[in-house]
Amino acid sequence: MFMLLTFVGQNVKAQCSFQNTAFSSGEFLSYNLYYNWQFVWVKAGSASFSTVKSVYKGTPAYRGSLITRGNNKVDKFFVMRDTLLCYNSLNLEPLYYRKGAHEGKRYTVDEVFYSYPGGKCEINQHRLKNSGEHEWKKSTFNYCIYDMMSIFMRARSFDPTGWKKGFDVDFPMADGNSVNPAKLRYQGKVNIKADNGHTYRCLQLAYMENENNEGYKKIVDFYVTDDSNHVPIRLDMHLRFGSAKAFLVGMNGVRGKITAQVK
């Protein structure tokens, strides 16, 4: 069903829509961040993800915000201040994406503006480099394009019934200056203990990118509740400067009952 909605049909506007069954406006998720320093895991900051109903250029939309903050202890070694924002229509069509990344001594901004003229998907990409230089690029596609935030919000409504280990969902992924193949790979079920003291039965999904056709590399492992909410309980992030993990601390405004809690 997902593949049909994404890649088949004449009307891109209909293609790019997807029914939200996982979250409601007002959901707020909070996490503890841990970094790996010389084989030792240390608590290094916090992250939060919020979703609210909003309006983007006159279109009713969900606004998703992801904020990560390293603490002062970690700042001595590596500064990490990332803020990600997206607007998706109420049918989960991507409308706008922004990532502001302060990582180490670098600060960059990526933006993607979406429109759907004449049954196609048009994206206008913008990157602000650390040097202050601006890059702009406009492209038109006969199929849907996504970004890191929009595919995350959409993936929470996937129905994994019948999925077997190794099942892939393929999609094109945009950032501020490129579009590359990406995929989500289902890796089975596992019980995960969160930082709120509870343990949850989770689906394990790997997010993988194939940048510059150099082969797929795993970027993040997601562990989401095995129920209709698909709340992320743990994220294992494979970063350029090392490894990081995020563990759920709290969840408010969740759409449905959390039936995946086992302890």
Side-chain angles (χ1 to χ4, degrees):
M1 178 64 74
F2 170 73
M3 299 299 287
L4 288 173
L5 286 170
T6 307
F7 297 110
V8 180
Q10 299 299 316
N11 190 329
V12 170
K13 197 66 171 169
Q15 272 180 269
C16 298
S17 64
F18 200 78
Q19 183 179 4
N20 168 33
T21 60
F23 60 83
S24 298
S25 177
E27 182 185 81
F28 184 84
L29 310 173
S30 57
Y31 298 85
N32 285 330
L33 289 179
Y34 299 85
Y35 292 164
N36 187 286
W37 299 107
Q38 298 180 347
F39 306 104
V40 177
W41 287 99
V42 296
K43 188 175 179 180
S46 62
S48 63
F49 191 95
S50 62
T51 306
V52 297
K53 277 188 179 180
S54 184
V55 175
Y56 178 77
K57 294 185 177 180
T59 299
Y62 289 114
R63 186 183 73 227
S65 300
L66 173 62
I67 299 173
T68 63
R69 293 290 182 266
N71 59 28
N72 292 334
K73 182 196 307 185
V74 175
D75 282 351
K76 297 177 182 178
F77 303 96
F78 188 88
V79 175
M80 185 175 179
R81 300 285 190 275
D82 288 355
T83 302
L84 286 78
L85 170 71
C86 76
Y87 285 89
N88 285 8
S89 76
L90 300 184
N91 292 321
L92 301 185
E93 297 153 329
L95 300 174
Y96 173 73
Y97 165 76
R98 184 187 190 278
K99 178 183 178 182
H102 182 187
E103 298 174 351
K105 296 181 180 180
R106 299 175 64 254
Y107 180 74
T108 59
V109 175
D110 280 6
E111 291 181 292
V112 184
F113 302 82
Y114 296 86
S115 59
Y116 302 92
K120 297 182 182 293
C121 180
E122 182 177 280
I123 61 171
N124 195 11
Q125 296 166 274
H126 171 232
R127 171 163 290 179
L128 171 62
K129 295 183 175 182
N130 187 58
S131 64
E133 178 186 355
H134 292 266
E135 289 184 347
W136 288 90
K137 181 180 179 181
K138 182 177 287 188
S139 305
T140 302
F141 300 87
N142 291 320
Y143 46 85
C144 295
I145 303 295
Y146 304 94
D147 55 73
M148 186 183 300
M149 290 284 282
S150 65
I151 197 64
F152 170 74
M153 295 179 72
R154 172 179 291 239
R156 288 185 60 185
S157 292
F158 288 174
D159 181 1
T161 303
W163 287 9
K164 296 181 179 179
K165 286 185 179 181
F167 176 80
D168 289 341
V169 178
D170 296 279
F171 50 90
M173 174 69 67
D175 56 21
N177 66 353
S178 64
V179 177
N180 293 293
K183 65 175 62 181
L184 287 175
R185 174 168 293 171
Y186 175 60
Q187 300 186 119
K189 297 182 182 182
V190 63
N191 288 349
I192 297 293
K193 186 175 181 179
D195 274 9
N196 62 3
H198 297 299
T199 300
Y200 302 88
R201 183 181 65 258
C202 292
L203 308 173
Q204 182 179 355
L205 298 168
Y207 168 62
M208 309 167 73
E209 289 183 354
N210 185 2
E211 187 174 356
N212 300 320
N213 292 318
E214 296 178 353
Y216 280 96
K217 295 180 181 179
K218 187 183 290 187
I219 307 300
V220 183
D221 282 305
F222 293 93
Y223 300 85
V224 303
T225 55
D226 183 21
D227 53 29
S228 61
N229 305 283
H230 294 155
V231 173
I233 299 299
R234 184 178 115 193
L235 292 81
D236 295 355
M237 294 161 279
H238 313 288
L239 308 172
R240 294 177 182 176
F241 59 87
S243 300
K245 295 180 185 288
F247 286 82
L248 181 79
V249 176
M251 51 177 140
N252 296 298
V254 176
R255 177 168 177 163
K257 184 178 180 180
I258 302 294
T259 59
Q261 183 177 322
V262 295
K263 290 183 182 179

